[in-house]
Amino acid sequence: MRVGFGYDSHRFEEGRKLILGGVVIPYEKGLKGHSDADVLIHAIIDALLGAAALGDIGSHFPDTDEKWRGADSTKLLEAVVAEVRNAGWCVGNVDATVICERPKLSPHIPAIRKRLAGILFPGEEDGVNRISVKGKTNERMDDVGAGVGIEVHAVALLNKTSS
Ligand code: MG
């Protein structure tokens, strides 16, 4: 088995939708980015790619490529899950911590876990129990604590497929 770690951060920007884990979160601002700026999915992608030693999100989906402008990050995650599978790995579990002062994430965590489980563990009944998403504030410290943006840390475990 292999473990991987992923990190991402994005700044808030007016006039954009806030999307976390493929779920639209009602809030006054969204996140700035070349794609849909789904910071949670980006961190999970880097954890998966890291565990499989397959590079990082920037090498797969460069933000200099117009192809990925406004990209739906759930599609990027689907592509990475397929690549990891093709390399002989299956996803064991994923655990992520999302850090922001606002909005309050707890009401949205069940929907986010369900959405991510559908991508990471399609058709697997216990999928949602293998994806953990935790929301925290930064206790008003530093830029994240001042509400400048959102940071995510994620880990993923991969198991070698038996064939
Ligand atoms: Mg990102």
Side-chain angles (χ1 to χ4, degrees), residues 26-92:
Y27 191 52
E28 64 204 48
K29 291 176 268 191
L31 294 171
K32 183 180 173 152
H34 184 73
S35 67
D36 64 2
D38 191 329
V39 63
L40 171 55
I41 286 188
H42 296 178
I44 291 172
I45 284 175
D46 264 359
L48 294 169
L49 290 174
L54 286 171
D56 63 23
I57 189 168
S59 62
H60 285 68
F61 313 106
D63 64 7
T64 49
D65 191 335
E66 279 305 308
K67 193 172 157 187
W68 308 118
R69 181 174 295 281
D72 175 349
S73 294
T74 63
K75 301 290 176 218
L76 310 186
L77 180 58
E78 278 171 13
V80 165
V81 168
E83 186 176 344
V84 162
R85 279 214 188 95
N86 289 339
W89 300 100
C90 74
V91 183

Side-chain angles (χ1 to χ4, degrees), residues 93-94 113 117 121 125-132:
N93 74 299
V94 170
R113 290 175 66 206
F121 312 109
E125 251 174 47
D126 71 333
V128 85
N129 299 321
R130 288 152 63 197
I131 166 81
S132 159

Side-chain angles (χ1 to χ4, degrees), residues 84-149:
V84 162
R85 279 214 188 95
N86 289 339
W89 300 100
C90 74
V91 183
N93 74 299
V94 170
D95 181 24
T97 300
V98 182
I99 310 165
C100 61
E101 299 302 304
R102 287 195 313 136
K104 193 172 168 52
L105 296 178
S106 52
H108 307 290
I109 298 284
I112 292 171
R113 290 175 66 206
K114 195 172 170 204
R115 180 82 170 103
L116 291 173
I119 300 166
L120 289 162
F121 312 109
E124 294 180 48
E125 251 174 47
D126 71 333
V128 85
N129 299 321
R130 288 152 63 197
I131 166 81
S132 159
V133 177
K134 310 180 305 295
K136 289 188 81 70
T137 73
N138 210 34
E139 295 284 337
R140 285 182 267 134
M141 291 185 290
D142 304 328
D143 279 348
V144 169
V148 173

